[in-house]
Amino acid sequence: MEFSIYSDKKFMESAFLEAEKAYEKKEIPIGAVIVYQNRIIAKSHNLVQTLKDPTAHAEILAITSACANLDSKFLSEATMYVTLEPCTMCFGALVLSRLKKIVIGTSDPKTGACGGKLDLASSNLYNHKIEIEKGVLEAKCSGILKEFFRNLRIEKSKQNENLEINLN
Amino acid sequence: MEFSIYSDKKFMESAFLEAEKAYEKKEIPIGAVIVYQNRIIAKSHNLVQTLKDPTAHAEILAITSACANLDSKFLSEATMYVTLEPCTMCFGALVLSRLKKIVIGTSDPKTGACGGKLDLASSNLYNHKIEIEKGVLEAKCSGILKEFFRNLRIEKSKQNENLEINLN
């Protein structure tokens, strides 16, 4: 059990490092890793702005990468560590991949599909059920998001000030 | 109005041609096209088996392709024509893309997220609402799926017979 908590934190740290990479690219800082047999087989971070692709969430990119790594369309024995609760698209993709477990850093009350905004994860609508664990490195995973959006607001308010100066 | 019905059928025919391409590759025959300003800007078909990627549904591939084509992460003025009702993953992706409208060939009572199995499309859970139209070229779109699964059953039963012969 202690080992499990230790490795949960360790793997979420890796997901967090991915979120930091997204942050540096001015992407919403979300990262994910997929673990199989106690080994990371895929790492990814949000690339929606960079790729101009709304499907380029960390989770989707990680699933594609993990499946390529295992040469399988199923991830039945794998666990995803993701810094923010998956949205509807990503939860749907994780069900399709038959992933065993999702470990979530912080909840998403705006778009989370595992209880944050809606709860697809506990519904009996799907032919595959995924274990859900929440709150691993929560402060860190939510902290980087808060910082990102705070900076974004400051930047926007500066732009508006400059616009006003130019208009005057 | 007549023009709209005409073009709905015309664009669904293009989606159906994509489903046929999937069929030829022994993929579940589902096809999609995305239309913007009365022009097809993306075509795709299910490639889950070929790519061994559970995210490689026709809709996801079409969104990525259409966004690349428009150089935009949003498809606000576009319509998707898809032969089978989108699943949870695909519906979630279409919401993220802010697509205007989904025209569906046939419903999916097993995994459809627009009323077939669950109804995410009429919920007020998302900050973007997509218009839904169903039943365009329904017989054709469901027919190819029925044929695919019938052939799959025949093939499996033949394999089982051969297995029994070999075991005897």
Side-chain angles (χ1 to χ4, degrees):
Chain A
M1 195 65 182
E2 266 190 346
F3 175 70
S4 164
I5 292 169
Y6 165 71
S7 50
D8 272 358
K9 284 191 181 164
K10 186 187 76 176
F11 291 130
M12 191 62 85
E13 282 285 0
S14 298
F16 182 79
L17 288 177
E18 289 297 312
E20 285 187 320
K21 289 184 196 166
Y23 189 101
E24 282 160 24
K25 294 175 188 169
K26 303 198 175 202
E27 296 276 357
I28 298 175
I30 303 160
V33 301
I34 294 180
V35 173
Y36 174 72
Q37 294 181 340
N38 216 30
R39 198 170 55 82
I40 292 175
I41 57 165
K43 292 180 187 186
S44 63
H45 51 273
N46 175 29
L47 284 174
V48 167
Q49 307 297 331
T50 309
L51 301 177
K52 289 187 186 168
D53 182 349
T55 75
H57 283 195
E59 299 94 315
I60 299 289
L61 302 173
I63 293 169
T64 299
S65 167
C67 288
N69 195 326
L70 294 184
D71 196 30
S72 161
K73 64 172 182 156
F74 294 131
L75 302 169
S76 317
E77 292 305 316
T79 297
M80 171 175 284
Y81 292 79
V82 57
T83 58
L84 184 68
E85 182 184 347
C87 71
T88 296
M89 169 182 74
C90 293
F91 180 74
L94 290 162
V95 169
L96 291 170
S97 80
R98 301 201 192 160
L99 191 89
K100 192 178 179 191
K101 188 176 175 182
I102 310 171
V103 182
I104 295 167
T106 188
S107 289
D108 182 357
K110 283 192 181 161
T111 65
C114 308
K117 172 74 178 182
L118 67 162
D119 197 355
L120 297 175
S122 0
S123 79
N124 289 315
L125 292 160
Y126 304 100
N127 61 2
H128 175 73
K129 196 108 182 169
I130 306 180
E131 266 179 76
I132 306 282
E133 192 183 324
K134 283 185 179 175
V136 174
L137 294 188
E138 183 159 18
K140 218 168 162 176
C141 294
S142 73
I144 192 172
L145 283 160
K146 282 178 190 158
E147 190 186 315
F148 176 83
F149 286 111
R150 191 170 48 237
N151 287 342
L152 202 67
R153 280 193 299 273
I154 293 170
E155 212 170 288
K156 279 199 178 168
S157 108
K158 272 187 194 162
Q159 281 173 356
N160 287 342
E161 274 174 32
N162 287 339
L163 193 66
E164 274 173 37
I165 292 165
N166 288 336
L167 288 173
N168 286 338
Chain B
M1 194 65 182
E2 266 191 346
F3 176 70
S4 164
I5 292 169
Y6 166 71
S7 50
D8 271 358
K9 283 191 182 164
K10 185 186 78 175
F11 290 130
M12 191 61 86
E13 281 286 359
S14 298
F16 182 78
L17 289 177
E18 288 297 313
E20 285 187 320
K21 289 184 196 167
Y23 188 100
E24 283 159 25
K25 294 175 187 169
K26 304 198 176 205
E27 296 276 357
I28 299 176
I30 303 160
V33 301
I34 295 180
V35 173
Y36 175 71
Q37 294 181 340
N38 215 30
R39 197 170 56 82
I40 291 174
I41 57 164
K43 293 179 186 188
S44 62
H45 51 272
N46 176 29
L47 284 174
V48 167
Q49 306 297 332
T50 309
L51 300 178
K52 288 188 186 167
D53 182 349
T55 74
H57 282 196
E59 299 95 313
I60 300 288
L61 301 173
I63 293 169
T64 298
S65 168
C67 288
N69 195 325
L70 295 184
D71 195 29
S72 162
K73 65 171 181 156
F74 294 131
L75 302 169
S76 318
E77 293 305 316
T79 297
M80 172 176 282
Y81 292 79
V82 59
T83 58
L84 184 68
E85 182 184 348
C87 71
T88 296
M89 169 182 74
C90 293
F91 179 74
L94 290 163
V95 169
L96 291 170
S97 80
R98 299 197 193 163
L99 191 90
K100 192 179 179 189
K101 187 175 175 181
I102 310 172
V103 181
I104 296 167
T106 188
S107 289
D108 182 357
K110 283 191 181 162
T111 65
C114 308
K117 172 73 177 182
L118 66 161
D119 197 356
L120 298 175
S122 1
S123 78
N124 288 315
L125 291 160
Y126 303 100
N127 61 3
H128 174 72
K129 197 111 183 168
I130 306 180
E131 265 179 76
I132 307 282
E133 192 182 325
K134 282 185 180 175
V136 175
L137 294 189
E138 185 160 16
K140 218 168 163 173
C141 294
S142 73
I144 192 172
L145 284 159
K146 282 177 191 159
E147 190 186 315
F148 176 82
F149 286 110
R150 190 169 50 237
N151 287 343
L152 202 67
R153 279 193 299 273
I154 293 170
E155 211 169 290
K156 279 198 178 169
S157 108
K158 273 188 194 162
Q159 281 173 357
N160 287 343
E161 273 173 33
N162 287 338
L163 194 65
E164 274 175 37
I165 292 166
N166 288 336
L167 287 173
N168 286 339

